[in-house]
Structure formats: structure tokens, C-alpha cells
């Protein structure tokens, strides 16, 4: 799938969440002063995804203070996401994209290599969507460790 680029319109979405509700990009944009950090991760509860989620959790107050909402999206079911959110004390929405439609639309689902094997799955990615609905920043194949700190610098949060 093609990847998103700055100035493109971000695809809207509405997905089920870990808390039993739903989250939409439109509602997140409406509530945020500057925009929305949408991050895509492969699997709740794995070491890398836990590290990244906890980094977002620990940076949430400063990101929100700077005007950004945060949402994490994975293909996991809502029950698994609920267990993950509870275990790690995550207070931002975790959304389930079991059919990969949003992952596809954002270019975060595709071929990847790991330990010499090629397969199709989630490409760890972060897209920052501005208040106007356009992509401000799109990063693909990010590393879980240190990613949130680099993102904070790019957004001028630090």
C-alpha cells in the first residue's frame, strides 16, 4: 500500500476500542488543539509494543499539554487490547483494526522482513494528523525504543 505523505488528507476512521466504545479520527481532531498522533503497532503485550505504549503513556501529559491527542491502533481484538491497557495503565484509546482497513489506508500494513523471513503484517508507524485533517508527519518502520522521544522533539514538545 502507498504510504501517506505530508499535506495529504488523512483517511478518517471509526474503530472499536479497548474500553468497549468507539474512537474516530474526526472526534479526536475536534477535541485536540493541534492534532492527533496515530500510531500503529503489531501486537499488544509484546516487548516492543509494550515499550512503545508505555513511552506514549509516560509522555501523554506533555503531548496533550502541547495540543495533541494520541491513539494506538493494532489488529488485536478489543478483549486483548483491554487486558493490555489495564496491565500497562494506558489511558489513551487503543483501537482494534481486525480487518486491516485503516492499517491499509495509512500504509501501515504490508510486506516486512524479520529474522530473514518475509511476511505481511503491521509496519510500526506513526502519523501525525493536523487539526485540519491533513498529514503533518508520517514515519514508517520506526523502532519501538526511542521513537516517542524523537517524535516529541519533532513536534516541539521538548
Amino acid at each position: 500500500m502507498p504510504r501517506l505523505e505530508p499535506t495529504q488528507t488523512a483517511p478518517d476512521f471509526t474503530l472499536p476500542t479497548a474500553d468497549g466504545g468507539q474512537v474516530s479520527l474526526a472526534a479526536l481532531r475536534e477535541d485536540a488543539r493541534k492534532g492527533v498522533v496515530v500510531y500503529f503497532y503489531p501486537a499488544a503485550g509484546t516487548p516492543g509494543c509494550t515499550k512503545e505504549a508505555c513511552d506514549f503513556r509516560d509522555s501523554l501529559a506533555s503531548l496533550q499539554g502541547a495540543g495533541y491527542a494520541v491513539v494506538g491502533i493494532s489488529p488485536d481484538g478489543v478483549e486483548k487490547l483491554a487486558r493490555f491497557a489495564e496491565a500497562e495503565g494506558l489511558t489513551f484509546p487503543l483501537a482494534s483494526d481486525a480487518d486491516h482497513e485503516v492499517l491499509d489506508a495509512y500504509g501501515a500494513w504490508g510486506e516486512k522482513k524479520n529474522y530473514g523471513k518475509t511476511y505481511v503484517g503491521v509496519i510500526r508507524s506513526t502519523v501525525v494528523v493536523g487539526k485540519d485533517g491533513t498529514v503533518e508527519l508520517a514515519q514508517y518502520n520506526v523502532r519501538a525504543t526511542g521513537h516517542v522521544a524523537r517524535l516529541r522533539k519533532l513536534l516541539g514538545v521538548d
Side-chain angles (χ1 to χ4, degrees):
M1 290 302 296
R3 295 178 174 182
L4 296 179
E5 298 285 338
T7 72
Q8 284 183 292
T9 299
D12 200 8
F13 60 81
T14 300
L15 292 170
T17 56
D19 64 3
Q22 288 189 327
V23 66
S24 72
L25 180 61
L28 290 169
R29 284 183 24 234
E30 188 175 306
D31 292 342
R33 282 191 340 272
K34 284 194 177 174
V36 181
V37 176
V38 182
Y39 83 95
F40 301 93
Y41 61 100
T46 58
C49 295
T50 299
K51 171 68 175 146
E52 185 178 29
C54 290
D55 284 351
F56 273 112
R57 176 199 64 204
D58 296 345
S59 294
L60 189 60
S62 60
L63 286 165
Q64 288 175 332
Y68 294 96
V70 174
V71 60
I73 299 175
S74 81
D76 296 312
V78 292
E79 299 83 12
K80 184 175 180 185
L81 294 177
R83 290 190 302 272
F84 182 49
E86 185 175 337
E88 303 303 333
L90 305 177
T91 57
F92 54 87
L94 296 179
S96 172
D97 184 24
D99 60 12
H100 315 139
E101 283 185 23
V102 176
L103 287 154
D104 275 335
Y106 276 74
W109 182 263
E111 193 173 279
K112 52 194 268 182
K113 291 183 181 183
N114 195 15
Y115 299 111
K117 294 188 178 199
T118 302
Y119 62 98
V120 175
V122 177
I123 299 165
R124 189 182 304 275
S125 310
T126 299
V127 176
V128 178
V129 181
K131 184 83 173 157
D132 65 355
T134 61
V135 174
E136 292 184 353
L137 177 72
Q139 297 181 317
Y140 295 91
N141 293 309
V142 299
R143 295 201 174 276
T145 302
H147 170 61
V148 176
R150 286 187 295 279
L151 180 65
R152 288 167 50 96
K153 285 185 180 164
L154 287 170
L155 295 176
V157 173
D158 287 337

